[in-house]
Amino acid sequence: MKIKKAPFFYAMLLPIMIFVGCTNDDEGNLVVVDDTAPIIGSTNPLSNATGVARNKPISIIFSELMEPATINATTFTVMEGTSVVEGDVTYADSTATFTPAASLESNITYTAMISKEAKDLFGNGLVKDTSWSFTTSGTSSTLGVVELGGASNYVILAKTAINNSSTSAIVGDMGLSPAATSYITGLSLTDATGYATSAQITGNVYAADMAVPTPINLTTAVGDMITAYNDAAGRPIPDFLELGSGNIGGMTLTSGLYKWTTTLTIPTDVTLTGDADAIWIFQISGDLTQSSAINIILNGGAQAKNIFWQVAGEATFGANSHFEGNILSMTGITFQTGASINGRALAQTAVILDANAVTKVQ
């Protein structure tokens, strides 16, 4: 049986034939058929959001890949009453972004609209024109960073234990408090006055039972870690709520405040796209789980230091996975064999390591 090539980069779509269906033409050739309309997974800002920063890009996440040529200034528009807002429209992966040419006006309700002429790779348009409204704040400031205070001095900071298996490569200082040095295992520490060293660490190790001023410094750092956790957890008015029903695998995420009231899973690669000043805060009420060999990818100049993952449950990173950002966990953080991170692991209980690469960001 022959397979007849279909338009829209058919070779890319062969792996998903079983999801879109197939048929045969008059010559018996197999042809992929997809007549399912794409849908909008989420918008940023959300519908009826208030207090939106005046210089915030406006974005749409679609349920599938779209034909880039159909995402443009004609199909994706923003209006202030009957006036068109000037701006640039871009598309990457499954996300369309409208960036205003100038800051929006303060305390004004705007309406964003995506036309049904926006189509997927098989030529299916949205079922209908879709619009939503949001109201700006009186300020042009964007989402603010989570201030880590003294906790920012550590690449790993925990309260109850830091346990390592095999050989890890850690860049940055480690701290443990109120637990003592004996609760740091697997790093073959060499004691010094007020700190310890290890061949596995480019930096120093500090624990609550070491010489002054280490105990008070750690008490301050742990207090700042808890303050930062509460700050991240308490940020109001999320830009995205329950995105992907707790599964963000394969998504490209623009900057903003994200909230899930349950667990969050990352089963396939996720891209965070934004400039060097873009900020992400992820509020997770349950566990955070990243699958083995899966990556968080930064695009467009995005920086790990501006990414904050507030996790009420456990944070677990699968074998040989790669993560980006600052983890603020109330429960614990576990890096399985070969996992790596650019950022910080800040846990209110324990951090578990197993032949990991952990690198502090500035």
Side-chain angles (χ1 to χ4, degrees):
M1 177 183 295
K2 296 181 179 179
I3 297 179
K4 183 178 180 180
K5 289 185 178 180
F8 308 109
F9 311 103
Y10 178 68
M12 296 171 56
L13 300 170
L14 276 174
I16 60 171
M17 287 168 54
I18 57 174
F19 296 104
V20 298
C22 303
T23 188
N24 295 96
D25 61 15
D26 293 339
E27 299 176 357
N29 297 313
L30 189 65
V31 178
V32 174
V33 176
D34 174 13
D35 57 4
T36 302
I39 61 175
I40 295 173
S42 186
T43 64
N44 184 359
L46 294 171
S47 180
N48 298 319
T50 58
V52 176
R54 292 165 52 202
N55 60 353
K56 183 178 184 64
I58 300 151
S59 62
I60 302 169
I61 296 179
F62 297 97
S63 62
E64 60 181 293
L65 293 176
M66 304 292 284
E67 171 53 51
T70 68
I71 310 294
N72 52 53
T74 300
T75 58
F76 187 7
T77 57
V78 176
M79 305 285 292
E80 178 190 349
T82 58
S83 300
V84 176
V85 176
E86 297 295 327
D88 294 325
V89 175
T90 57
Y91 175 79
D93 297 326
S94 58
T95 303
T97 302
F98 179 95
T99 303
S103 293
L104 302 176
E105 298 295 326
S106 62
N107 299 310
I108 294 293
T109 297
Y110 289 86
T111 300
M113 194 273 286
I114 184 71
S115 164
K116 62 184 179 182
E117 296 304 314
K119 299 178 180 181
D120 65 17
L121 295 179
F122 284 92
N124 302 304
L126 296 168
V127 172
K128 61 180 180 180
D129 295 347
T130 301
S131 62
W132 74 100
S133 298
F134 59 90
T135 303
T136 55
S137 69
T139 176
S140 61
S141 62
T142 57
L143 185 66
V145 299
V146 176
E147 296 294 346
L148 299 176
S152 67
N153 296 325
Y154 302 88
V155 67
I156 296 175
L157 181 63
K159 294 178 67 176
T160 62
I162 300 173
N163 302 133
N164 177 59
S165 298
S166 303
T167 301
S168 292
I170 301 166
V171 179
D173 291 342
M174 289 175 39
L176 180 66
S177 178
T181 308
S182 59
Y183 289 90
I184 302 174
T185 62
L187 291 169
S188 301
L189 299 181
T190 299
D191 291 334
T193 302
Y195 66 95
T197 60
S198 167
Q200 301 180 53
I201 303 172
T202 303
N204 295 327
V205 178
Y206 300 90
D209 61 337
M210 294 178 176
V212 295
T214 294
I216 187 62
N217 289 343
L218 286 172
T219 297
T220 299
V222 168
D224 290 346
M225 172 178 70
I226 294 171
T227 298
Y229 176 93
N230 292 333
D231 175 20
R235 295 294 180 97
I237 315 176
D239 300 305
F240 296 96
L241 183 62
E242 314 296 356
L243 180 64
S245 298
N247 181 336
I248 58 172
M251 293 186 180
T252 296
L253 306 181
T254 56
S255 59
L257 178 62
Y258 294 72
K259 182 179 180 65
W260 294 270
T261 57
T262 55
T263 59
L264 178 65
T265 60
I266 308 176
T268 55
D269 290 356
V270 169
T271 300
L272 306 185
T273 184
D275 61 27
D277 296 321
I279 297 169
W280 289 260
I281 299 176
F282 300 97
Q283 300 171 328
I284 306 163
S285 297
D287 296 337
L288 167 62
T289 303
Q290 181 173 348
S291 298
S292 297
I294 297 307
N295 302 308
I296 299 294
I297 301 166
L298 303 187
N299 185 42
Q303 300 190 77
K305 69 176 184 178
N306 292 332
I307 304 167
F308 303 89
W309 304 82
Q310 173 263 313
V311 187
E314 297 182 5
T316 303
F317 305 94
N320 301 309
S321 63
H322 178 73
F323 198 73
E324 298 275 350
N326 301 286
I327 308 164
L328 292 157
S329 173
M330 178 178 285
T331 307
I333 301 172
T334 298
F335 295 98
Q336 296 179 352
T337 307
S340 62
I341 175 177
N342 292 329
R344 295 176 178 85
L346 309 176
Q348 295 181 41
T349 57
V351 175
I352 309 300
L353 304 169
D354 185 357
N356 306 120
V358 183
T359 304
K360 177 185 170 185
V361 294
Q362 300 303 319

